[in-house]
Amino acid sequence: AIRMTQSPSSLSASTGDRVTITCRASQGISSYLAWYQQKPGKAPKLLIYAASTLQSGVPSRFSGSGSGTDFTLTISCLQSEDFATYYCQQYYSYPQWTFGQGTKVEIK
Amino acid sequence: QVQLVESGGGVVQPGGSLRLSCAASGFTFSSYGMHWVRQAPGKGLEWVAFIRYDGSNKYYADSVKGRFTISRDNSKNTLYLQMNSLRAEDTAVYYCAKDSRRDDYGDYHDYWGQGTLVTVSS
């Protein structure tokens, strides 16, 4: 099974900061990677798919990059509503999907 | 707009059974594969099961294989998860999620329900 490892597990940042989260796959997954945002008590929300394609309605301050085994999610200018937990997910190894362990973005 | 509404969660004893439902609306349910994803309290997301748009193929995580059964009724726009031989480690919020690909294999999850809590405890 493909393992997804995110780093860091948590981070503290201030509004206006640039934030980068990394996701590494245990083997190559091309660009079959999605990023989700989850706020406490809520369902996950799709932010990015195909490693770098922004889901409709998602603010442009979110961006994704990478291919193969190494991927990043960047929030260019952190807003108050962005404090949440972020998960990467690979969908390369159909029919098995795996998520990273999550990165919690907290207020400094 | 796409809506997914889960129901059927509750408290069940170890070894017991429970059936979850997910009512879908706002899209052509019969054209999309569907997933169940769970999240134990304070933990991350775990993919549980997938069913193709026509119900022809079903896939499971190793942690639930042989105990859980995913199914769908396209005439009722409803997804199900039958959970048998439940264990304490199955305690989680269970989400249904729509697959993004139409009439094809599974991909990423573009819409999620609000989740239903299953607690396995004596």
Side-chain angles (χ1 to χ4, degrees):
Chain A
I2 297 176
R3 287 186 58 195
M4 307 300 292
T5 303
Q6 290 180 232
S7 60
S9 296
S10 65
L11 64 90
S12 295
S14 301
T15 303
D17 285 353
R18 180 183 183 89
V19 168
T20 298
I21 298 168
T22 297
C23 178
R24 175 165 288 176
S26 60
Q27 65 187 74
I29 60 170
S30 185
S31 296
Y32 292 90
L33 185 100
W35 289 97
Y36 301 89
Q37 175 194 65
Q38 187 180 34
K39 296 181 180 179
K42 301 295 186 182
K45 171 189 171 184
L46 175 67
L47 295 178
I48 287 170
Y49 60 94
S52 61
T53 302
L54 212 60
Q55 172 71 344
S56 176
V58 174
S60 59
R61 62 181 180 273
F62 291 92
S63 64
S65 64
S67 67
T69 60
D70 295 311
F71 303 86
T72 60
L73 172 70
T74 299
I75 310 172
S76 60
C77 183
L78 197 66
Q79 301 298 301
S80 57
E81 60 266 32
D82 301 336
F83 291 97
T85 300
Y86 295 85
Y87 294 92
C88 63
Q89 180 203 35
Q90 67 81 20
Y91 51 99
Y92 175 83
S93 66
Y94 175 88
Q96 294 288 320
W97 290 257
T98 47
F99 293 90
Q101 81 280 13
T103 296
K104 187 174 184 179
V105 177
E106 299 176 298
I107 301 172
K108 183 182 286 185
Chain B
Q1 72 282 20
V2 173
Q3 274 202 312
L4 299 169
V5 179
E6 301 94 336
S7 60
V11 180
V12 60
Q13 292 188 339
S17 298
L18 209 57
R19 188 175 86 154
L20 306 182
S21 299
C22 171
S25 61
F27 65 103
T28 306
F29 180 73
S30 59
S31 293
Y32 291 88
M34 296 292 295
H35 302 259
W36 287 100
V37 177
R38 68 184 181 183
Q39 186 171 38
K43 303 297 184 182
L45 302 170
E46 180 189 16
W47 172 79
V48 172
F50 171 73
I51 185 168
R52 287 192 69 192
Y53 68 100
D54 57 0
S56 60
N57 293 90
K58 307 171 186 182
Y59 303 99
Y60 301 93
D62 288 344
S63 57
V64 306
K65 200 173 294 183
R67 300 187 299 121
F68 289 12
T69 301
I70 189 172
S71 62
R72 64 192 298 158
D73 185 338
N74 285 346
S75 69
K76 295 182 178 180
N77 288 350
T78 303
L79 175 72
Y80 302 101
L81 185 67
Q82 177 67 44
M83 304 185 294
N84 298 331
S85 303
L86 282 161
R87 308 165 180 167
E89 55 265 36
D90 295 319
T91 294
V93 174
Y94 285 74
Y95 296 100
C96 66
K98 173 185 168 291
D99 196 87
S100 61
R101 293 187 75 167
R102 183 184 178 99
D103 297 340
D104 209 327
Y105 299 100
D107 224 359
Y108 55 91
H109 317 327
D110 55 359
Y111 292 94
W112 299 61
Q114 85 289 348
T116 187
L117 177 62
V118 172
T119 303
V120 184
S121 173
S122 54

